[in-house]
Amino acid sequence: MATLKELNVFPVTLVYVGVGVQQRGILSEGFSGKKNELAQFGRRTTPLTLLPFQIDDEEGRQQWQVLLKTIEKKLILAEKYPGMLARDLSDYLYARSAGHFASLMALINCGCLRVIRSGNERLDKDLMDQVKNDVAAEESRKELEAAMKAGLLTSRPGQLPKPGRKTA
């Protein structure tokens, strides 16, 4: 069995994925304070963070749309159409995922499985309401949906929310 140190001789990149990796002390190997310097794993890794998408400004809304359009192009559904995600479900998908990529992809993947089995092969709000999502995303859902319904928040570029809007 090889150790991580023995892998240094191979020209490979190891990717570790997790939530709260730094906060949980994984990179510090349980050391704290001055002893943190002894954590070899932390010295050999570069943490990268994927922040949730934000829609509190035009640039953020544009980025959300690019993401949805990209996903839309990759979907293999018999009845998909341009704008199915980016136009018709944009606010809905943001509210359901709170802008988190993993939550969004889990929701879309489960939705696609459901529509393929049903023979409909088109994603819409009624169908997506039958799909469960992760707890963290669902906890944010009601507040985000209420803000969108009140016109205080939108994921659509060019549509400014009403003054006094909440940020996502």
Side-chain angles (χ1 to χ4, degrees), residues 93-104:
L93 291 172
Y94 190 86
R96 289 290 311 269
S97 67
H100 288 269
F101 183 76
S103 300
L104 174 68

Side-chain angles (χ1 to χ4, degrees), residues 4-90:
L4 284 176
K5 188 170 184 166
E6 292 168 327
L7 291 176
N8 284 337
V9 297
F10 297 105
V12 297
T13 299
L14 301 176
V15 178
Y16 297 92
V17 178
V19 176
V21 172
Q22 288 179 292
Q23 295 87 335
R24 292 184 178 154
I26 294 171
L27 300 180
S28 64
E29 300 170 26
F31 294 111
S32 63
K34 271 275 209 208
K35 291 186 177 184
N36 202 8
E37 297 170 356
L38 301 174
Q40 294 182 32
F41 190 65
R43 296 218 179 261
R44 290 178 170 83
T45 57
T46 303
L48 304 173
T49 303
L50 180 61
L51 297 173
F53 285 82
Q54 297 297 318
I55 58 170
D56 54 349
D57 60 22
E58 191 66 16
E59 182 181 354
R61 290 188 287 275
Q62 290 284 349
Q63 290 174 353
W64 180 250
Q65 289 297 304
V66 168
L67 173 64
L68 294 181
K69 288 175 183 176
T70 302
I71 294 168
E72 201 172 86
K73 286 179 188 174
K74 302 290 183 183
L75 289 180
I76 302 173
L77 295 174
E79 296 183 37
K80 80 172 186 178
Y81 57 91
M84 184 174 69
L85 301 181
R87 184 186 61 235
D88 296 347
L89 293 173
S90 180

